[in-house]
Amino acid sequence: MSTVATRSPQGAWELGARAGYAASGLLHVLIGVLAAQLALGSSGGSADESGAFAAIAGTPFGAVTLWIAVVAFVALAAWQAAAAVSGAAGETSDRVKAGAKAVVYLALAATAYSVVQGASGGGRTQSATAQMMQSPGGRLLVGAVGVGVVVVGVYHVYKGLTKKFLEDLNRLPSGTPGRVARRAGVAGYAAKGLALTIVGGLFVLAAATANPEEASGLDGALQTLRDAPAGPVLLLLVAAGLVAFGAYCGVRSRFGRL
């Protein structure tokens, strides 16, 4: 990117959007580390976004890093929203995906902001689900959300195993770095897809049993995996995959299509 382009408003937004992918990469690496600690019996922080942000907050310059993450995620959300509204994302399905990504990145910005402000994220998934269930048709809505998350999770696995994620990249560095990036993408998408599928399944279970406590976020899903037969080993594999996904996000921040 030229200096002039970087100084232009669009260039500045693109730089911010790429920083958002880098922040997402760091986030997934930290979640992977927390998941590995969970598999090994550690009582550390929650293996989810709030836990990862809390880990950042506890480091030197943690508050500054979190503020940078907030700005980066907002920039990436704005970029995705603009692509969805303007049609730059492509076909209707691509515009819908861009809009959904905008919501996700805005939620990450809000989570980082709440952590840097000292707010606690514990129990928010369960309480939101409980409120939803109390509304007319709430159980159906919770079940629909769960099915939607399962679909997204399965698609992540498909995208990883078929290497469809390569379509999101302009190019890859040649030689060993490129091969490592491909392998990180395969393992990362598959691991994140598995985790999302479990999250969605828990929401479906909550709707089926009318028990909002069954619905939990990523941390609850990883705990569920840990408690399964051979769970700690599987969780360690997922943790490694999440770290790999973080590495892939780092590559995407440099070589990805926007």
Side-chain angles (χ1 to χ4, degrees), residues 129 133 139-151 197-211 214-216:
T129 305
M133 281 189 175
R139 288 178 63 183
L140 289 177
L141 183 57
V142 170
V145 169
V147 172
V149 175
V150 169
V151 171
T197 300
I198 297 174
V199 170
L202 292 175
F203 270 83
V204 172
L205 179 61
T209 60
N211 182 7
E214 294 288 355
S216 60

Side-chain angles (χ1 to χ4, degrees), residues 99-230:
K101 289 178 181 178
V103 173
V104 170
Y105 291 124
L106 196 60
L108 287 175
T111 303
Y113 177 79
S114 68
V115 171
V116 79
Q117 292 292 342
S120 173
R124 287 186 300 180
T125 301
Q126 289 86 348
S127 62
T129 305
Q131 293 176 3
M132 194 182 301
M133 281 189 175
Q134 292 173 0
S135 62
R139 288 178 63 183
L140 289 177
L141 183 57
V142 170
V145 169
V147 172
V149 175
V150 169
V151 171
V152 172
V154 171
Y155 178 74
H156 270 67
V157 174
Y158 164 78
K159 188 172 183 178
L161 297 181
T162 61
K163 299 183 181 179
K164 193 175 178 62
F165 60 86
L166 294 175
E167 297 176 3
D168 297 329
L169 303 175
N170 289 318
R171 60 188 177 87
L172 277 176
S174 59
T176 301
R179 291 194 295 272
V180 171
R182 289 186 182 88
R183 291 169 183 170
V186 171
Y189 269 99
K192 185 173 182 180
L194 175 59
L196 288 174
T197 300
I198 297 174
V199 170
L202 292 175
F203 270 83
V204 172
L205 179 61
T209 60
N211 182 7
E213 293 185 359
E214 294 288 355
S216 60
L218 182 58
D219 182 58
L222 295 179
Q223 290 187 38
T224 299
L225 179 61
R226 179 197 60 188
D227 296 337

